Amino acid sequence: EPEMMRIPGGCFQMGSPKNEADRDSDERPHEVCVKAFEIGVYEVTQGQWQAVMSSNPSYFKKGDDYPVENVSWNDVQTYLNKLNQRTGQSYRLPTEAEWEYACRGGVAGQHYCGGDDVDQVAWYGGNSGDQTHPVGKKAANGFGLHDLSGNVWEWTCSLYDKEYGGVELKCNNKDTISPLAVRGGAWSSYPARVRSAVRNGGTPADR
């Protein structure tokens, strides 16, 4: 089972201020409140995925402590269903609002998830050597969470809405063909794409 961290509920400014460098048009700043929840301290690893799914779809097969990648949202739902059956728990992906609240670590205005120094908190195109890295090697944020910026993009359970129309607070729990919000950037991203506010959308079958 993943190591989890209890995150207190609260309100925060989701999105980016209009004067933030490199901001995108889908980062409308607005106040959002979330209830207390738990989230993984680390990205799901290849070892964890292998233990549940008996397979490893990752491109970078370098060890059990590397993040699993090359997985679709649909794949994740299968993983979660099997994990919950085996553990009796009710794991799910975070909503997009929960993800960004967790990323910001209780500190307002940080450019990346854990600070303003991208090399301290993220594996990205400038320092990754064009590959993923073992989870937890970069500095944690204010909530004690690692790798929310960079290393691998992370699925959420929220539908992607460019205008932030409220779906960022909801967990889509049914089959869909609509894009879902993906957050955090990856090992190949420019610094601008691993910012706390950066967003992407992927269809459920995208890996």
Side-chain angles (χ1 to χ4, degrees), residues 76-151:
V76 174
Q77 302 314 302
T78 302
Y79 168 80
L80 290 169
N81 287 336
K82 290 187 176 183
L83 180 64
N84 290 336
Q85 287 172 8
R86 288 178 57 173
T87 63
Q89 302 294 337
S90 53
Y91 292 107
R92 62 169 174 83
L93 288 168
T95 66
E96 190 179 8
E98 288 170 339
W99 187 96
E100 188 170 324
Y101 183 75
C103 153
R104 294 188 176 278
V107 182
Q110 290 183 339
H111 212 56
Y112 308 105
C113 302
D116 295 322
D117 182 346
V118 66
D119 286 294
Q120 185 177 10
V121 299
W123 296 111
Y124 69 104
N127 67 6
S128 71
D130 294 330
Q131 62 183 6
T132 61
H133 287 260
V135 302
K137 299 302 183 182
K138 290 294 184 178
N141 72 359
F143 286 147
L145 309 174
H146 295 266
D147 298 310
L148 286 157
S149 284
N151 217 10

Side-chain angles (χ1 to χ4, degrees), residues 73 77 92 157-159 170-176 180:
W73 190 87
Q77 302 314 302
R92 62 169 174 83
C157 63
S158 296
L159 296 173
K170 300 173 183 175
C171 201
N172 178 71
N173 57 8
K174 58 182 182 295
D175 289 341
T176 180
L180 293 117

Side-chain angles (χ1 to χ4, degrees), residues 152-173:
V152 292
W153 284 99
E154 299 175 6
W155 288 106
T156 74
C157 63
S158 296
L159 296 173
Y160 173 77
D161 179 355
K162 183 177 180 180
E163 305 302 325
Y164 267 142
V167 292
E168 67 271 23
L169 287 161
K170 300 173 183 175
C171 201
N172 178 71
N173 57 8

